[in-house]
């Protein structure tokens, strides 16, 4: 979403007036493209809001997946690899997190990873790697899971995405504890708590305390 909504709508209005009153319709395709991009941006944003509601309530809204699928389709039509990759990440997340269907999530995550890498979208890539980690961990492939989450964390540190780093450290602590390294797990949770507090990520701070309890590290 690199350009403002107002700019796109204003340009569409100008193209309309050029065509109707000025007899110059050669820019109508450009205006249509702007509006398609707006539709894609709105679908992606609305889908994310519904996912946030799911995280709070635990109840899936049936509109969430179609919104992400529509966004992915529209970005694909526009040739927007960054937007398509982000949308496909969310498609995968619906299947993995909400529907507990890793097999269906995997192709969406794989394509999202390709597109985010192609577009240089390190933030989306960090999310994809995080969720690929969850799949590897669930399958018992702990080393692969740790490698994915470590790379996701590196990307997030480089982006100064501090709440995201804190969230990832919780996952790394879980992996450390499952491997018997409780001291490392405790240190990771301590750092996660510090980063969460320093960045105002109070929800992540709550996750840290829940992880301490679950791992008996309180």
């Amino acid at each position: 979403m690199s350009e403002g909504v107002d700019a796109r709508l204003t340009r569409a209005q100008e193209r309309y007036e050029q065509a109707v009153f000025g007899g110059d319709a050669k820019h109508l395709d450009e205006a249509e493209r702007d509006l398609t991009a707006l539709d894609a941006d709105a679908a992606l944003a609305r889908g994310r809001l519904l996912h946030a509601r799911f995280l709070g309530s635990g109840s899936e809204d049936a509109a969430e997946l179609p919104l992400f699928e529509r966004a992915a389709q529209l970005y694909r039509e526009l040739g927007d690899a960054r937007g398509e990759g982000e949308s496909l990440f969310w498609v995968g997340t619906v299947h993995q997190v909400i529907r507990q269907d890793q097999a269906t999530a995997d192709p969406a995550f794989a394509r999202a990873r390709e597109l985010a890498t192609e577009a240089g979208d390190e933030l989306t890539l960090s999310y994809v790697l995080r969720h690929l980690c969850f799949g590897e961990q669930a399958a018992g492939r702990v080393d692969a899971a740790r490698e994915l989450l470590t790379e996701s964390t590196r990307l997030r540190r480089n982006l100064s995405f501090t709440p995201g780093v804190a969230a990832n450290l919780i996952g790394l602590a879980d992996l450390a504890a499952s491997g018997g390294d409780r001291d490392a797990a405790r240190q990771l949770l301590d750092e996660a708590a510090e980063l969460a507090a320093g960045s105002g990520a109070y929800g992540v701070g709550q996750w840290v305390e829940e992880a301490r309890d679950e791992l008996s590290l309180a």
Side-chain angles (χ1 to χ4, degrees), residues 18-189:
Q18 288 173 356
V20 173
F21 302 119
D24 180 4
K26 65 177 178 291
H27 296 295
L28 289 180
D29 286 347
E30 178 186 339
E32 287 281 2
R33 181 180 176 84
D34 280 341
L35 296 180
T36 298
L38 281 178
D39 286 344
D41 291 349
L44 178 57
R46 190 175 296 278
R48 286 198 300 258
L49 292 178
L50 292 182
H51 192 75
R53 292 187 186 279
F54 163 79
L55 294 176
S57 69
S59 298
E60 178 182 359
D61 189 311
E64 182 178 339
L65 180 59
L67 282 167
F68 290 136
E69 290 174 334
R70 173 168 172 73
Q73 176 186 347
L74 292 174
Y75 285 126
R76 189 177 307 118
E77 292 172 1
L78 291 166
D80 184 339
R82 178 183 291 265
E84 184 184 355
E86 184 178 358
S87 301
L88 287 174
F89 159 72
W90 285 107
V91 169
T93 297
V94 171
H95 288 296
Q96 181 192 57
V97 175
I98 299 180
R99 301 186 176 182
Q100 300 293 298
D101 183 354
Q102 188 67 39
T104 303
D106 281 339
F109 285 148
R111 183 57 177 154
R113 185 179 189 176
E114 292 174 357
L115 290 167
T117 301
E118 173 188 329
D121 183 359
E122 293 188 342
L123 180 59
T124 294
L125 182 58
S126 79
Y127 274 101
V128 174
L129 295 176
R130 171 180 167 85
H131 282 257
L132 286 171
C133 160
F134 297 155
E136 292 297 301
Q137 186 176 12
R141 295 186 286 268
V142 176
D143 289 343
R146 183 181 296 106
E147 181 178 344
L148 288 163
L149 196 55
T150 298
E151 176 60 12
S152 173
T153 305
R154 184 191 70 79
L155 291 171
R156 291 181 170 193
R157 288 190 192 277
N158 288 347
L159 293 167
S160 299
F161 178 27
T162 305
V165 173
N168 275 8
L169 293 178
I170 298 170
L172 288 170
D174 183 42
L175 290 168
S178 69
D181 193 343
R182 296 178 61 78
D183 287 340
R186 187 175 289 106
Q187 291 172 9
L188 287 162
L189 290 177

